[in-house]
């Protein structure tokens, strides 16, 4: 009979061996935008697929500025090793 602790570690080993993750990386995740009120500024975020498989990216805007930001492409697919500049415009209501 196999001890319970050994059974636990065998199950844990089997589960961890089958786990995998698919990720995308963001190239320029921090930016400072200076503008005057009611002037649209176009910027981009560099999204990189660092996986060996294609990745579907879905972007959305949330938070206090969600009404001030417009995404050019909110859904796209990146092939393995591919990157894309995800453009957006932002407009400030006040200084």
């Amino acid at each position: 009979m196999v001890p319970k602790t050994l059974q636990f570690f065998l199950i844990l080993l089997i589960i961890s061996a089958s786990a995998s993750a698919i990720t995308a990386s963001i190239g320029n995740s921090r930016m400072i935008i200076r503008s005057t009120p009611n002037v649209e500024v176009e910027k981009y975020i560099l999204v990189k697929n660092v996986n060996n498989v294609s990745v579907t990216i879905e972007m959305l805007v949330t938070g206090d500025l969600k009404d001030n930001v417009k995404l050019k492409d909110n859904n796209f697919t990146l092939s393995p090793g591919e990157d894309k500049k995800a453009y957006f415009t932002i407009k400030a209501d006040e200084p």
Side-chain angles (χ1 to χ4, degrees):
M1 186 161 153
V2 180
K4 296 243 185 234
T5 55
L6 184 57
Q7 287 177 351
F8 173 75
F9 285 115
L10 287 174
I11 291 171
L12 186 62
L13 180 64
I14 292 169
I15 292 172
S16 66
S18 65
S20 63
I22 296 178
T23 61
S25 124
I26 299 176
N28 51 344
S29 60
R30 181 178 178 201
M31 64 182 70
I32 297 171
I33 301 173
R34 291 189 173 93
S35 180
T36 56
N38 299 318
V39 174
E40 284 191 350
V41 176
E42 184 176 65
K43 293 287 185 177
Y44 67 88
I45 296 171
L46 183 63
V47 183
K48 300 177 182 179
N49 180 1
V50 295
N51 303 287
N52 295 328
V53 295
S54 294
V55 175
T56 300
I57 306 295
E58 181 179 339
M59 299 177 54
L60 57 107
V61 180
T62 63
D64 295 340
L65 296 175
K66 70 179 180 181
D67 295 331
N68 299 71
V69 178
K70 295 177 193 162
L71 300 173
K72 182 176 179 183
D73 297 320
N74 59 351
N75 284 312
F76 52 90
T77 301
L78 296 176
S79 299
E82 184 180 15
D83 58 48
K84 177 181 173 85
K85 293 178 180 178
Y87 284 90
F88 65 93
T89 57
I90 184 167
K91 180 171 69 170
D93 292 334
E94 56 189 64

